[in-house]
Amino acid sequence: MYYTRKAFSFLTTLMLVTLVTFFTFQLLPGNPALAILGPEAEQSQIENLEKQLNLELSVPQRYALWLKNALTGDFGISYKYNQKVSRLIGESFKVTSSLAVLTLIFTIVIGVFLGIFFAKYRKTPIVKIVTYLNQIWISVPSFCTALLLILVFSVWLKILPSMGISGFSSFILPSLSLSLGSGSILARYVKGSIENELEMEYVKTARSKGLSENQIIARHVLRNALIPSITTLGLIAAEILGGSIIIENVFSMPGIGKLLTTSISSRDFPLLQGLTLYLSSITLFCNFAVDMLYSVIDPRIEVRSKSGRKKRTADL
């Protein structure tokens, strides 16, 4: 039942997202056909485009038609590129997903390593210095980090490319630009969780059995400590998969972020509408995946859900 309720909540929210996405664009002032063709367009051209856009139909009819096509992956034709929106998003998603996977790997490595380091050596002077550096990476915008990395690795050392995509190496600097900040944020959550777990009774029992601090953290503490951090990681994943707009533009990467910027500047409504639905769906999916991962890592979550539901039923 736990998985069924989560799946139903995911689908219901996704349906509401389609409603909001579609009707938001219908509330925009002006004639979309006129906005596309420009004020110098002839009336016959405007009328022909209105028919192509199904503007002669009522808003509910247009929504039903749009939803039917969207469920089959058809989001219409881009005005600017004269290609299917689904194809454009699919091609850009390949770039963004590759960037996201590498960024998540860097984020997890940086966040978990620093979190363990901060918690284990929290009373040493070196941790204070590293903590200040960690605060800097959290505060500095990712595009500033990107410019610094380009200066060091592309301009001075000339070992990594700074523009376009020419292989795996093209993803390293953009991924580091994003993961240094997100990894620093994750490290704070991991640190706090580990410190809380180290005060638990089971840790004292493990110490009494002669286990070292490293063994206690690796075998017992880390798994429990990572559970509260999964939510943060899920939000980070949603943001990255949604398209890191600034970073993709800094490195001239043809991903979702760059496509979104182009669709806004050119008022490409079908493309913008498809991207809005894509971004919303990615966020919902990441939240859904986090809920599923919670129950896998800690089965007690599902058990508590069932017991709470039984208790409410008994009270009634």
Side-chain angles (χ1 to χ4, degrees):
M1 286 296 294
Y2 175 81
Y3 297 106
T4 303
R5 287 189 298 105
K6 290 298 181 181
F8 178 76
S9 175
F10 169 75
L11 293 174
T12 302
T13 308
L14 184 59
M15 183 59 66
L16 292 174
V17 166
T18 64
L19 277 168
V20 174
T21 299
F22 181 82
F23 284 102
T24 297
F25 284 94
Q26 302 307 309
L27 294 175
L28 293 176
N31 187 334
L34 184 60
I36 296 167
L37 296 174
E40 304 298 327
E42 297 179 0
Q43 185 62 33
S44 59
Q45 293 177 310
I46 296 175
E47 291 176 356
N48 288 333
L49 185 55
E50 286 177 343
K51 291 180 180 179
Q52 294 178 22
L53 299 176
N54 298 311
L55 295 180
E56 74 279 3
L57 301 177
S58 64
V59 173
Q61 288 177 321
R62 293 205 300 273
Y63 171 71
L65 181 61
W66 178 79
L67 181 60
K68 176 185 175 182
N69 293 332
L71 291 175
T72 61
D74 182 9
F75 297 101
I77 303 296
S78 167
Y79 301 152
K80 178 176 177 60
Y81 298 99
N82 196 28
Q83 297 182 38
K84 286 187 175 182
V85 170
S86 55
R87 180 181 177 184
L88 291 170
I89 294 177
E91 292 175 351
S92 298
F93 179 74
K94 294 177 183 178
V95 177
T96 300
S97 60
S98 299
L99 175 63
V101 169
L102 189 58
T103 301
L104 282 175
I105 293 173
F106 286 158
T107 297
I108 293 172
V109 171
I110 294 171
V112 173
F113 175 79
L114 286 180
I116 295 174
F117 177 78
F118 289 151
K120 184 178 178 181
Y121 302 103
R122 58 187 178 278
K123 296 181 180 180
T124 59
I126 188 65
V127 168
K128 293 183 179 180
I129 298 174
V130 180
T131 301
Y132 291 141
L133 293 174
N134 191 64
Q135 286 293 114
I136 291 175
W137 290 125
I138 293 176
S139 306
V140 173
S142 58
F143 68 88
C144 289
T145 304
L147 295 176
L148 178 61
L149 292 176
I150 289 173
L151 180 63
V152 174
F153 293 99
S154 297
V155 178
W156 291 348
L157 300 179
K158 301 183 186 301
I159 58 176
L160 290 173
S162 61
M163 293 183 65
I165 299 177
S166 57
F168 174 78
S169 60
S170 300
F171 291 93
I172 295 178
L173 290 184
S175 299
L176 283 175
S177 302
L178 293 167
S179 59
L180 284 173
S182 58
S184 299
I185 294 173
L186 182 62
R188 295 184 63 180
Y189 285 92
V190 173
K191 169 183 174 290
S193 298
I194 290 178
E195 288 179 345
N196 290 335
E197 292 295 323
L198 289 175
E199 301 298 325
M200 296 294 179
E201 290 298 326
Y202 74 88
V203 174
K204 297 178 182 178
T205 303
R207 285 172 179 158
S208 67
K209 292 181 179 180
L211 293 178
S212 66
E213 198 76 3
N214 289 336
Q215 290 175 322
I216 293 173
I217 292 176
R219 296 181 185 179
H220 304 287
V221 172
L222 192 57
R223 179 176 178 177
N224 295 328
L226 288 179
I227 293 176
S229 304
I230 291 177
T231 301
T232 304
L233 192 60
L235 294 174
I236 291 172
E239 180 180 353
I240 297 170
L241 278 170
S244 305
I245 300 174
I246 298 178
I247 291 300
E248 288 185 2
N249 279 277
V250 169
F251 290 93
S252 298
M253 303 183 74
I256 294 295
K258 192 169 182 63
L259 191 64
L260 180 62
T261 304
T262 303
S263 67
I264 293 173
S265 61
S266 60
R267 301 190 69 180
D268 192 339
F269 292 121
L271 181 56
L272 188 56
Q273 205 167 8
L275 285 170
T276 303
L277 182 58
Y278 160 82
L279 296 171
S280 303
S281 301
I282 286 294
T283 303
L284 289 174
F285 176 78
C286 287
N287 290 331
F288 176 73
V290 165
D291 290 336
M292 297 299 101
L293 193 57
Y294 263 149
S295 64
V296 172
I297 294 178
D298 189 0
R300 294 173 297 175
I301 293 174
E302 184 177 355
V303 173
R304 286 197 295 267
S305 177
K306 291 179 179 178
S307 63
R309 188 167 59 257
K310 289 179 179 178
K311 185 178 184 302
R312 288 194 298 270
T313 304
D315 293 339
L316 292 175

